[in-house]
Amino acid sequence: KWHHVAVTYDGSSKAAGLKIFVNAEDESTHTLHDSLTRQINQWSAGHRAFAIGSRFRDRGFKDGVVDELRGYDRRLSTLEVQQLADGKSLKKALATDVDELSPDVLARLREYYFLSVDTAMKAKRADLRLARAGWNEVMDKTPAVSIMREQAQPRKAYLLERGSYEDRGEEVFADTPDFLPPFPADQPRTRLGLAKWLLAPEHPLTARVVVNRYWQLLFGQGIVRTPEDFGFQGQAPTHAELLDWLALDFRKNGWDVRRLIKQIALSSTYRQSSVVAAEVRNKDPENKRYARGPSQRLSAEMVRDNVLAISGLLVNKVGGPPVKPYDLALAYTPLKVDSGGKLYRRSLYTFWKRTSPAPVMITMNANKREVCRMRREITASPLQALVLLNGPQFVEASKVLAAKLVKKYQQDEKAIANEAFRLLTSRLPTDAELEVLQLLHGEQLEHFADHGDAAKKLLAVGETPADETIAADRLAATTVLVNTIMNLDEAVRNK
């Protein structure tokens, strides 16, 4: 059976400006959302096609047929829609004597006149269209940020009998646990009210959770070692009074995160050496008593950012859209890699899909974002060394740092090895270590002197060009030296 369907729209960006007609009858509609702010052809790159009988991720108009599609550059009146459907409504209304017209038809004729005939209204609508076009241009240039908005009428919630969505039990209302401070009577039961309750001075939990997270960041383990569970099923704090004091101090000083991190990092507890006698380590293998300093591999983001910072490539610009460094081309094929300064932005800005982080991040134990994780498992694997030795970002950083060292110390191999080791490990090498490093540098220099093509191939890695004022064999050998030190345990671990 064929049906005539028509949709009219007045360009107001409001639901009230849209009508749907089926077989010339004005269908009633129910408005779920009324917040259109963008042009329809700019909602998503790559999905701008106009389709009839289909929509994104939908089966579409299955077993149906669409015929005779028409589009108009203005809003049609109700009578014009009916005329398109039955071929007679508008003609009949115009041919009927005014005295014989019903109030409903008379109103529709008035609508038809102002929408399609009256010249003054046409001019007004033209002015309105220009004004809306200006407004839309401003809106389209403004970056969009996804936010959540409270509903005017909160949706009711119920206990579900045996978990069945169709079997509703008692109605429940938003509230906070009884064992925590009561919800403020003067605050709305919304996310804003919840946020103010969480940060209220008498709330015992929020500041402790925050302090514990930053302690965990610096020490590898929190004072409460189950950050995902501060309840009875979680572990008790190893130093409850310390956690209380830090939380109160943090709150009294305006929730200043920078001050908190500095306070912990400058403490005598954090500044201890991680190297202790076997007897001490055996007595407290998990370091719950903090008799030694922390020793753990840096996170994936810290490893990459540290290497870029040492080489001088790191771009410290704050904010902006996500960027696509080298390794993303391996994960999201096809994907165009960025160029210039975008390649050296902090890892915070690296583009990734929720279920698929960048390959370097995955190798270094970055979590997928399918679920919220309060702590990251840190492991050591051969794949991590493979990435640090061969990843374009790390090889390029090694090349840039090597060029700086060679230009500074020329052919003083001892000074180059000393400086490279100090920059990457924060200490000078021992005599034995320095001897090994100089031996490595000499072997690589000899190798690249005999294999010029290999040196050029190594120095071609990355967008930053090799310094042509330095001999290729010397720069390549120093690059290998730097890259080797970069892979030492001390270079990727806080200690």
Side-chain angles (χ1 to χ4, degrees):
K1 184 177 180 180
W2 286 102
H3 297 275
H4 184 272
V5 180
V7 179
T8 66
Y9 176 54
D10 64 1
S12 63
S13 299
K14 298 296 181 183
L18 185 140
K19 290 184 178 181
I20 300 176
F21 299 85
V22 179
N23 296 327
E25 294 295 328
D26 188 354
E27 294 291 318
S28 61
T29 58
H30 174 60
T31 302
L32 295 177
H33 302 284
D34 195 6
S35 55
L36 182 65
T37 56
R38 301 274 164 172
Q39 293 190 30
I40 192 171
N41 65 345
Q42 294 184 347
W43 72 275
S44 178
H47 299 286
R48 297 180 179 177
F50 180 69
I52 302 300
S54 178
R55 63 181 178 184
F56 184 54
R57 290 180 178 171
D58 187 78
R59 296 183 67 187
F61 190 34
K62 193 173 185 295
D63 298 329
V65 180
V66 179
D67 183 43
E68 195 177 344
L69 170 70
R70 294 186 182 184
Y72 296 84
D73 63 354
R74 66 172 177 85
R75 173 190 168 193
L76 297 184
S77 65
T78 302
L79 275 175
E80 288 175 300
V81 171
Q82 292 174 336
Q83 176 72 25
L84 290 172
D86 58 23
K88 62 182 181 181
S89 292
L90 178 58
K91 292 180 180 180
K92 181 179 177 181
L94 291 173
T96 303
D97 190 86
V98 176
D99 296 334
E100 298 178 5
L101 291 173
S102 66
D104 182 53
V105 175
L106 192 62
R108 293 183 182 183
L109 277 171
R110 185 179 293 109
E111 178 197 33
Y112 165 71
Y113 174 79
F114 285 121
L115 284 176
S116 62
V117 178
D118 188 78
T119 54
M121 287 299 294
K122 286 183 180 180
K124 294 294 184 183
R125 280 197 300 275
D127 292 340
L128 179 59
R129 178 177 294 184
L130 287 174
R132 284 174 174 166
W135 169 261
N136 291 337
E137 184 179 2
V138 172
M139 290 296 296
D140 291 337
K141 288 181 179 179
T142 304
V145 179
S146 298
I147 62 171
M148 300 181 74
R149 181 181 298 162
E150 296 290 344
Q151 292 181 327
Q153 184 64 37
R155 183 178 297 173
K156 293 184 177 181
Y158 304 88
L159 288 176
L160 303 179
E161 302 294 343
R162 301 181 65 84
S164 173
Y165 288 96
E166 297 178 349
D167 192 0
R168 290 178 174 178
E170 177 188 354
E171 184 179 357
V172 293
F173 303 90
D175 207 347
T176 51
D178 291 337
F179 61 86
L180 290 174
F183 197 87
D186 60 342
Q187 292 299 325
R189 303 264 170 168
T190 61
R191 286 187 293 271
L192 175 61
L194 179 62
K196 290 184 176 180
W197 173 77
L198 285 170
L199 298 177
E202 63 272 15
H203 197 291
L205 192 59
T206 309
R208 287 172 173 81
V209 171
V210 174
V211 165
N212 194 70
R213 289 287 301 277
Y214 284 104
W215 186 278
Q216 176 182 288
L217 177 68
L218 292 170
F219 282 91
Q221 294 283 358
I223 298 174
V224 175
R225 301 204 165 198
T226 51
E228 67 282 350
D229 190 348
F230 266 62
F232 287 114
Q233 296 184 7
Q235 293 186 24
T238 57
H239 298 72
E241 292 182 0
L242 172 62
L243 181 62
D244 291 348
W245 184 87
L246 284 171
L248 289 171
D249 183 71
F250 179 54
R251 196 181 66 207
K252 288 178 180 177
N253 286 280
W255 304 78
D256 189 336
V257 173
R258 186 185 294 271
R259 180 183 178 278
L260 172 66
I261 293 176
K262 181 179 179 180
Q263 186 179 44
I264 297 174
L266 293 180
S267 68
S268 58
T269 304
Y270 182 80
R271 289 184 292 145
Q272 294 178 106
S273 171
S274 60
V275 180
V276 293
E279 180 183 357
V280 176
R281 187 175 292 274
N282 292 336
K283 283 184 178 180
D284 185 15
E286 296 183 24
N287 198 26
K288 289 185 177 181
R289 300 301 175 189
Y290 299 108
R292 60 183 184 273
S295 179
Q296 62 171 345
R297 206 209 69 222
L298 299 174
S299 68
E301 295 84 353
M302 289 180 180
V303 170
R304 178 178 175 273
D305 292 357
N306 189 48
V307 167
L308 290 176
I310 292 171
S311 68
L313 287 172
L314 185 68
V315 175
N316 280 314
K317 176 186 174 183
V318 175
V323 295
K324 304 176 179 67
Y326 301 113
D327 57 310
L328 286 190
L330 303 175
Y332 311 132
T333 304
L335 181 72
K336 183 180 179 181
V337 172
D338 280 326
S339 60
K342 292 182 178 180
L343 289 170
Y344 315 115
R345 297 291 307 278
R346 292 170 56 201
S347 299
L348 171 68
Y349 301 104
T350 296
F351 169 87
W352 72 9
K353 296 182 180 179
R354 182 176 61 184
T355 59
S356 181
V360 167
M361 301 300 174
I362 293 177
T363 306
M364 296 287 179
N365 307 116
N367 299 326
K368 294 182 180 180
R369 293 183 177 177
E370 296 167 295
V371 294
C372 181
R373 297 286 298 275
M374 295 295 103
R375 54 179 169 175
R376 185 179 294 183
E377 299 298 329
I378 300 295
T379 65
S381 72
L383 280 177
Q384 294 169 2
L386 186 69
V387 167
L388 291 173
L389 284 168
N390 298 281
Q393 199 92 77
F394 300 99
V395 174
E396 180 184 26
S398 301
K399 175 181 67 177
V400 172
L401 179 57
K404 291 181 178 179
L405 294 174
V406 173
K407 290 183 79 71
K408 182 176 181 180
Y409 296 106
Q410 299 300 320
Q411 298 185 18
D412 190 342
E413 296 177 6
K414 180 178 179 180
I416 289 174
N418 259 317
E419 182 73 359
F421 196 92
R422 183 189 67 81
L423 289 172
L424 289 162
T425 69
S426 300
R427 70 172 178 86
L428 291 173
T430 64
D431 291 340
E433 290 168 336
L434 186 58
E435 184 179 349
V436 172
L437 293 175
Q438 288 182 273
L439 179 62
L440 170 66
H441 189 266
E443 290 176 349
Q444 292 301 311
L445 187 59
E446 184 178 338
H447 169 77
F448 285 119
D450 296 334
H451 301 82
D453 291 341
K456 291 180 181 178
K457 186 176 180 180
L458 175 63
L459 298 178
V461 174
E463 187 178 274
T464 305
D467 192 328
E468 295 183 356
T469 63
I470 304 172
D473 56 346
R474 182 165 296 280
L475 181 55
T478 309
T479 298
V480 172
L481 173 69
V482 171
N483 191 235
T484 302
I485 300 173
M486 189 184 294
N487 277 267
L488 293 178
D489 184 66
E490 287 186 72
V492 294
R493 179 181 291 270
N494 69 339
K495 49 207 174 292

